[in-house]
Amino acid sequence: MAESFPPDFLWGASTAAYQIEGAVKEDGRGLSIWDQFSHTPGKVLNGDTGDTACDHYHRWQEDVVLMRELGISAYRFSTAWPRIQPMGRGAVNEKGLAFYDRLVDALLEANIEPWLCLYHWDLPQRLEDRGGWRNRDVAYWYRDYTAIVARRLADRVAHWATFNEPNMVAYRGYGDGDHAPGVKSREAVMQAIHTLNLAHGLGVMALREQRADLKLGNIYNFGPREPATDREEDMIACRVSDAIMNRSFSDPQILGHYPEPIAAEIAPFVQSGDYAIIRQKLDYFAFNHYARSRVRWAKGTLFQFEHVAPPRGTPVTDMGWEINPDAFRQVMIDSKARYGDLPMYILENGAAFADAVDSEGRVHDPQRVAFLRAYLGAVHDAIAAGVPVRGYFVWSLLDNFEWAFGYSRRFGIVYVDFATQKRIPKESYFFYRDLARGAPLAR
Ligand code: FCB
């Protein structure tokens, strides 16, 4: 079966600053929590850091050429707050702003829409020293940072996202502690959720003040939850996990309240007027999707739940994440039902597999091609079912620094040899290029 996407469907690719830029000490950049975390022994697999990453800070022109040849019409990147305000507040680093300014111009020149995400997890360390997202003031410093970036780029960048996956910032950064800054506290998770929501609202207001017609949203992260068994405690654990991981941002930002299982615990941090700030009108509804999770009750953990591996025999990626395009289609359908009819964008989806360069210097990645084919099929089906999906951004353009997994997991459609920085487009790159050029999806 060959299926076509709407002619104006947006084909994109996504990356994030700390995962690709490198050059962490260059041109006045300040420290981020990920510099600090990755340099702390035992935090990242193999002791990897983002010090060099894909060296995109120096090789961005070559990377824009790769995008142009890929034929995508949009590129989502993030700006690094510590590059723009090395101390997190106050002084602005002109060289940091100039980097993104050049990148935006080159993208426009290549006919690629820049989609700018203001925060992809690299909080300035100086702000973490003041409590990070546990400190309400950080929401106001985030607003100031947003206004600085908007003043510089809003004349050319139309699409902005306030945060990438704020749930991961709160839960992994302040709860599990396997992401920067590595805090493990239930109260900190609740505080961080609320400060991040407040920052989102303040950021949207600052952006609108700069230019009323910007297209604004937040990038949620949806992975459906199901209880590992039908035991009562697993079902409760599942509801708590769903509230924290899937609804703690989209519910307050779009529906105006926190989900019931966590509302009472967040209430002490809510001040009068906060909900009005948090619930801003948005122009698009965006999320990342990777996999669904099975949840069971786990005594002694912070929230009495843990995620369990899929049953033996389930197809998984190199991350151990279940491959299940039907779950993805269902997320799109359910999101429309719950959050309404805003234009929907998938801003990350993709898969890690253990790729290798063959004797002819090529990277053959049939598993990723099959994955993309199946997941794009799900997008096609969701559109046919009436969901207004307007675009899909593959994660990721390049193999990169995969957080706590360092360089051991490859998500790119372009292979990166981290020793030489050579880029090799994988077979999936050519598959994706054909779609971006309008070829139908063969299933
Ligand atoms: C998402 C992140 C992204 C990348 C992918 C695999 O949660 O937003 O940076 O790590 O997972």
Side-chain angles (χ1 to χ4, degrees):
M1 205 174 18
E3 289 153 330
S4 297
F5 283 83
D8 56 353
F9 190 78
L10 198 64
W11 297 94
S14 291
T15 64
Y18 189 72
Q19 294 181 277
I20 64 166
E21 286 179 2
V24 292
K25 295 208 172 114
E26 242 162 287
D27 289 344
R29 177 184 178 279
L31 270 187
S32 81
I33 55 174
W34 271 95
D35 295 292
Q36 176 86 20
F37 190 76
S38 64
H39 279 271
T40 307
K43 298 297 186 194
V44 175
L45 203 62
N46 305 318
D48 290 342
T49 72
D51 287 3
T52 308
C54 306
D55 197 30
H56 171 77
Y57 191 73
H58 299 116
R59 295 170 194 263
W60 58 276
Q61 284 163 304
E62 179 185 347
D63 293 337
V64 173
V65 171
L66 277 167
M67 293 180 225
R68 199 187 59 213
E69 288 171 0
L70 180 58
I72 48 175
S73 28
Y75 171 58
R76 173 193 148 205
F77 62 98
S78 75
T79 47
W81 187 348
R83 238 186 238 296
I84 291 170
Q85 283 184 296
M87 301 297 168
R89 56 196 189 119
V92 176
N93 177 30
E94 166 55 30
K95 287 187 173 164
L97 275 178
F99 170 69
Y100 299 109
D101 199 291
R102 289 194 294 273
L103 176 66
V104 163
D105 282 345
L107 290 166
L108 293 172
E109 179 82 8
N111 262 318
I112 299 169
E113 270 181 22
W115 282 54
L116 191 155
C117 173
L118 285 152
Y119 188 88
H120 201 127
W121 306 357
D122 44 359
L123 186 73
Q125 179 62 39
R126 284 297 183 100
L127 299 188
E128 185 52 41
D129 298 341
R130 293 168 167 265
W133 294 108
R134 286 163 290 183
N135 177 354
R136 211 180 141 91
D137 293 344
V138 170
Y140 291 84
W141 293 325
Y142 169 86
R143 176 192 61 189
D144 298 344
Y145 152 68
T146 295
I148 292 164
V149 187
R151 270 199 292 281
R152 181 64 170 257
L153 298 175
D155 59 335
R156 283 156 291 152
V157 177
H159 290 88
W160 297 68
T162 52
F163 286 90
N164 172 72
E165 298 188 358
N167 63 332
M168 299 291 265
V169 176
Y171 180 75
R172 304 286 289 277
Y174 294 90
D176 263 4
D178 67 331
H179 276 195
V183 175
K184 297 181 187 181
S185 144
R186 184 164 171 145
E187 187 186 31
V189 172
M190 297 299 159
Q191 273 176 322
I193 288 175
H194 191 61
T195 312
L196 286 156
N197 271 313
L198 199 59
H200 160 79
L202 292 165
V204 168
M205 288 157 78
L207 288 160
R208 292 249 190 260
E209 222 165 89
Q210 201 57 42
R211 226 184 95 182
D213 63 345
L214 296 177
K215 301 284 182 224
L216 307 180
N218 194 346
I219 306 166
Y220 307 114
N221 170 18
F222 293 139
R225 264 44 195 172
E226 58 175 45
T229 72
D230 54 13
R231 285 207 310 263
E232 173 79 18
E233 60 260 38
D234 287 346
M235 297 207 268
I236 294 171
C238 186
R239 278 199 291 278
V240 176
S241 167
D242 183 49
I244 295 177
M245 303 305 287
N246 289 327
R247 292 163 53 194
S248 51
F249 293 92
S250 43
D251 274 17
Q253 291 174 14
I254 297 172
L255 308 177
H257 54 76
Y258 282 107
E260 188 273 319
I262 58 169
E265 230 175 307
I266 295 189
F269 308 115
V270 181
Q271 298 184 7
S272 88
D274 282 1
Y275 285 115
I277 295 174
I278 292 170
R279 192 184 191 182
Q280 295 292 319
K281 182 188 155 296
L282 301 178
D283 303 289
Y284 62 85
F285 181 83
F287 65 90
N288 303 339
H289 170 80
Y290 287 94
R292 69 171 174 170
S293 304
R294 293 150 54 81
V295 185
R296 76 169 164 230
W297 185 69
K299 199 174 164 206
T301 58
L302 269 192
F303 293 96
Q304 324 289 330
F305 71 70
E306 67 187 7
H307 299 127
V308 298
R312 208 188 288 266
T314 308
V316 295
T317 68
D318 208 23
M319 298 294 280
W321 296 344
E322 180 184 0
I323 301 175
N324 184 337
D326 286 344
F328 180 35
R329 179 176 38 85
Q330 201 55 45
V331 178
M332 292 180 268
I333 291 172
D334 293 348
S335 301
K336 180 191 165 193
R338 184 169 181 82
Y339 297 113
D341 246 347
L342 284 176
M344 188 183 288
Y345 292 92
I346 309 306
L347 288 189
E348 279 182 33
N349 175 243
F353 290 109
D355 305 307
V357 184
D358 70 14
S359 55
E360 279 148 35
R362 285 200 285 257
V363 180
H364 183 59
D365 59 342
Q367 290 175 293
R368 187 172 293 98
V369 171
F371 179 97
L372 292 174
R373 198 190 293 285
Y375 275 70
L376 282 161
V379 172
H380 186 274
D381 293 347
I383 296 173
V387 183
V389 190
R390 303 275 191 262
Y392 174 97
F393 290 53
V394 66
W395 183 270
S396 179
L397 179 71
L398 304 168
D399 291 338
N400 59 45
F401 175 80
E402 178 48 36
W403 310 113
F405 289 95
Y407 298 100
S408 70
R409 299 293 190 280
R410 294 182 175 274
F411 274 92
I413 56 172
V414 175
Y415 184 92
V416 177
D417 177 337
F418 293 104
T420 61
Q421 292 297 341
K422 186 167 180 219
R423 274 89 163 123
I424 306 174
K426 303 179 191 176
E427 192 174 296
S428 53
Y429 172 98
F430 299 105
F431 169 78
Y432 200 67
R433 183 193 63 182
D434 291 346
L435 292 169
R437 288 181 177 170
L441 179 73
R443 277 206 270 173

